């Protein structure tokens, strides 16, 4: 029958070594993301508008595969932040709503993409 090994207490590392271990264990500092754009539908709206001069409500709904109500709520939040502009008009008797990305929206999207690239870079460095 094998005898259990005597227990050994591990010596605590010196304070400067513990500090170094804590520094290495810390999560990397990541940039704060624009929460307004970060939501999936809103990111889809600004991204689609960034690659088109303008898009109609129905075009955005089709591209994003979402409902009228969902698109309307998210588009309104982007309008309130002045990231997109909205123009309503009639084409014959048919009402139309067109959206455009504003200069502020374009800057916000660029900043958001830069932040995401930083997240990606840090993540790749950590792995």
């Amino acid at each position: 029958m094998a005898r259990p090994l005597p227990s050994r207490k591990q010596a605590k590392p010196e304070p400067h070594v513990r500090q170094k271990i804590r520094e290495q264990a810390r999560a990397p500092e990541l940039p704060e993301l624009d929460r307004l754009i970060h939501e999936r539908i809103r990111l889809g709206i600004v991204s689609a508008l960034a690659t088109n001069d303008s898009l109609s409500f129905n075009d955005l709904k089709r591209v994003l595969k979402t409902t009228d109500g969902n698109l309307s709520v998210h588009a309104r939040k982007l309008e309130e932040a002045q990231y997109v502009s909205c123009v309503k008009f009639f084409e014959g008797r048919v009402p139309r709503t067109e959206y455009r990305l504003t200069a502020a929206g374009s800057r916000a999207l660029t900043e958001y993409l830069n932040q995401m690239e930083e997240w990606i870079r840090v993540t790749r460095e950590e792995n």
Side-chain angles (χ1 to χ4, degrees):
M1 181 164 147
R3 276 195 240 166
L5 295 173
S7 67
R8 290 190 208 170
K9 280 191 170 181
Q10 287 186 333
K12 286 187 178 178
E14 294 295 320
H16 69 281
V17 174
R18 285 194 306 251
Q19 176 65 27
K20 184 132 182 112
I21 291 169
R22 275 195 298 270
E23 287 171 5
Q24 290 172 349
R26 269 191 225 146
E29 286 292 318
L30 295 170
E32 185 67 29
L33 295 175
D34 183 336
R35 301 304 301 173
L36 187 65
I37 291 180
H38 190 62
E39 202 290 327
R40 185 184 73 85
I41 296 294
R42 292 191 293 261
L43 179 57
I45 292 169
V46 295
S47 297
L49 293 173
T51 58
N52 294 278
D53 288 336
S54 68
L55 287 171
S56 71
F57 183 89
N58 287 331
D59 289 337
L60 283 169
K61 188 173 83 166
R62 180 180 44 78
V63 167
L64 300 172
K65 296 176 176 66
T66 191
T67 63
D68 288 3
N70 202 14
L71 179 58
S72 181
V73 166
H74 289 296
R76 180 148 316 180
K77 287 186 183 211
L78 292 169
E79 280 182 81
E80 290 169 357
Q82 298 181 344
Y83 286 3
V84 300
S85 64
C86 173
V87 176
K88 296 179 184 240
F89 60 96
F90 283 88
E91 209 170 65
R93 291 182 172 228
V94 179
R96 289 197 34 117
T97 304
E98 291 278 326
Y99 293 95
R100 290 181 185 275
L101 189 64
T102 64
S106 182
R107 285 190 302 274
L109 178 59
T110 298
E111 180 63 24
Y112 176 83
L113 293 173
N114 289 339
Q115 291 166 341
M116 286 304 296
E117 287 171 350
E118 179 64 12
W119 276 64
I120 292 165
R121 184 191 64 72
V122 168
T123 302
R124 287 193 173 139
E125 285 177 358
E126 294 296 315
N127 288 326

